[in-house]
Amino acid sequence: MRTQIAVVGAGPAGLLLAHLLRLEGLDAVVLETRRREHVLGRIRAGVLEPGTVDVLREAGLGARLDRVGLEHRGFSLRFDGAEHRIGLTELTGKSITVYGQQEVVRDLLDAAEPEPWFGVSDVALHDVTTDRPSVTFTDADGTARTLHCEVIAGCDGFHGVSRNAVPVSTCERAFPYSWLGILAKTPPAHHELIYAHHERGFALHSMRSPELTRLYLQVAPDEQLDEWPEDRIWAELALRLGTACEPGPLVEKGITSMRAFVAEPMRHGRLFLAGDAAHIVPPTGAKGLNLAVADVALLSKALTSWLLHGRDSEALSYSDTRLRATWRAERFSTEMTEMLHRSADPFDQRLSLARLRRVASSRAAATALAQDYVGSSEGT
Ligand code: APR
Ligand code: PHB
């Protein structure tokens, strides 16, 4: 088999990259180890920066997003028993859109032509530093195949294989807490997101639609899900958020550990890394999906210039450009995480409150936070 770009992984990064490349007239084949239903069923974050919305709209993926996405012009910070609204639109002129990553993936799969190869195994990358790279894999029917290509895009997430083919140096930080997240069939208890810092721990009130609420609680890193029956979750949320949600049936319940991770460089020969394969941000501030979209928006342009017009400068600078943006997002996500979570360390506890009080009392500090939250025009 032969294609121009072999895309490894059908998460949002791989699916969007293949879509953008095909719009430019390039040929891309997507390989995915999981089944279609699994990829469609994964529930993750749901906040889109304006830059992300622009990319999706320009790629012809805006119809459902514009119909059911929820525009939010601000969010609430709650701490010290009080509420402080961060007026995103007032402070930056921009707004965010609440639209689940799951919905973005559904739109991408609806538009995918041809479909990804789902259920593949034994994926291995070869000759990435030559001008004839290839990917070998076993297809869902058990047939061993070789995909010859000009470029490989490693979009296979944190646990993928692509990063192993790059001589990366990695930086990592583990945080001393996890998030217990639920998606519940109940109307949101507030019209905007609420980030609550409480002495019992952080809590986040978010949503997916007028009928679906997404809620998170800071828990210990080794917390077991069975220690959290539904009654306990609702009671704890009410305490920390200062607002009771109407309990509803759970669509999903899970614990996610929190880490920051960056692999450098993001290119090796003809292999380019994008999305979670290259970097993970802690989830506070919802930058992960936005960063992945900005990676592939640039990568599709760079590959188009290179493969169709023979200009390789954007491809050569892809790693440096995206690593600068990655570190901006790591800086913001780490600060947001540390400001909002409850630490066991008394000094860190006081620091969190000092940071929150500064954002609540200084327009300059609130504006800086809001600008980071909505993302830059350079793509997060
Ligand atoms: N071969 C092919 N596909 C693979 C392999 C492999 N060896 N290993 C993993 N995959 C697939 C996974 O099954 C998954 O579908 O690659 C895909 C990677 O998708 P994501 O993990 O969603 O990563 P990405 O597309 O970069 O999306 C980033 O997702 O995790 C969130 O916070 C993150 O919102 C951000 C976004
Ligand atoms: C979510 O809705 O899942 C979400 C929202 C905001 C965040 C993180 C996650 O900062």
Side-chain angles (χ1 to χ4, degrees):
M1 297 161 64
R2 176 166 291 283
T3 187
Q4 284 172 297
I5 300 101
V7 179
V8 185
L15 290 171
L16 180 59
L17 177 65
H19 183 81
L20 295 172
L21 292 169
R22 288 171 189 148
L23 289 178
E24 297 290 350
L26 286 158
D27 187 47
V29 168
V30 182
L31 305 175
E32 167 61 50
T33 44
R34 302 294 196 142
R35 300 272 161 191
R36 193 177 203 277
E37 309 74 63
H38 179 93
V39 170
L40 267 174
R42 273 189 305 225
I43 293 165
R44 285 179 171 160
V47 170
L48 307 186
E49 293 174 2
T52 299
V53 172
D54 288 346
V55 171
L56 296 174
R57 278 192 191 132
E58 280 163 26
L61 297 162
R64 218 159 55 90
L65 168 64
D66 285 331
R67 213 169 50 244
V68 304
L70 306 169
E71 188 198 13
H72 282 209
R73 296 168 162 256
F75 64 82
S76 289
L77 285 180
R78 287 194 184 168
F79 66 97
D80 282 347
E83 159 138 340
H84 305 271
R85 182 169 183 271
I86 303 293
L88 294 172
T89 306
E90 184 201 331
L91 295 169
T92 69
K94 297 180 184 170
S95 57
I96 50 140
T97 303
V98 173
Y99 188 67
Q101 178 167 321
Q102 208 186 354
E103 307 305 323
V104 175
V105 168
R106 178 182 299 277
D107 295 339
L108 283 163
L109 277 178
D110 284 349
E113 182 56 50
E115 278 260 310
W117 290 63
F118 287 107
V120 305
S121 52
D122 311 321
V123 175
L125 281 47
H126 309 276
D127 305 322
V128 302
T129 55
T130 73
D131 54 11
R132 286 159 203 255
S134 63
V135 182
T136 52
F137 64 101
T138 305
D139 72 18
D141 297 327
T143 306
R145 294 182 180 268
T146 302
L147 179 59
H148 298 280
C149 55
E150 292 172 48
V151 163
I152 303 175
C155 303
D156 46 352
F158 184 68
H159 300 287
V161 294
S162 299
R163 199 171 56 244
N164 300 337
V166 182
V168 288
S169 75
T170 58
C171 279
E172 189 159 11
R173 170 169 295 180
F175 293 86
Y177 23 76
S178 292
W179 276 14
L180 189 164
I182 59 169
L183 182 64
K185 275 194 188 151
T186 188
H190 186 68
H191 67 291
E192 289 182 336
L193 270 60
I194 306 169
Y195 290 87
H197 174 84
H198 192 273
E199 61 186 23
R200 299 174 66 90
F202 167 71
L204 170 59
H205 165 277
S206 179
M207 63 197 71
R208 291 292 176 272
S209 72
E211 298 83 34
L212 271 180
T213 307
R214 182 74 166 145
L215 297 147
Y216 299 97
L217 285 171
Q218 173 187 351
V219 294
D222 53 356
E223 198 85 16
Q224 299 301 310
L225 210 47
D226 55 17
E227 287 166 36
W228 286 88
E230 288 181 31
D231 290 356
R232 183 178 173 205
I233 297 176
W234 292 113
E236 192 65 28
L237 282 165
L239 271 177
R240 295 189 195 179
L241 290 169
T243 296
C245 304
E246 185 62 43
L250 300 196
V251 181
E252 201 244 6
K253 178 180 170 191
I255 293 185
T256 322
S257 63
M258 222 184 253
R259 67 156 70 82
F261 172 88
V262 181
E264 309 192 27
M266 288 171 63
R267 179 182 71 87
H268 184 51
R270 287 179 174 246
L271 167 60
F272 295 76
L273 301 178
D276 279 14
H279 41 65
I280 302 277
V281 285
T284 332
K287 288 287 171 212
L289 173 61
N290 294 291
L291 209 48
V293 167
D295 283 351
V296 299
L298 177 62
L299 186 52
S300 73
K301 279 196 206 136
L303 294 179
T304 304
S305 297
W306 185 24
L307 301 181
L308 287 184
H309 309 296
R311 291 194 294 269
D312 63 2
S313 61
E314 274 180 316
L316 295 177
S317 59
Y318 166 77
S319 176
D320 287 346
T321 307
R322 292 312 303 154
L323 282 167
R324 269 197 299 279
T326 298
W327 281 109
R328 282 201 299 272
E330 294 289 357
R331 199 266 307 144
F332 167 71
S333 307
T334 304
E335 282 177 11
M336 220 20 206
T337 299
E338 288 171 355
M339 176 172 82
L340 285 161
H341 287 70
R342 173 76 172 182
S343 159
D345 178 297
F347 194 90
D348 286 338
Q349 286 173 19
R350 301 297 173 92
L351 268 185
S352 291
L353 280 171
R355 286 173 170 149
L356 284 161
R357 287 176 187 145
R358 180 161 159 269
V359 170
S361 61
S362 148
R363 189 177 168 95
T367 304
L369 177 78
Q371 278 167 341
D372 284 334
Y373 196 87
V374 299
S376 78
S377 51
E378 301 159 73
T380 286

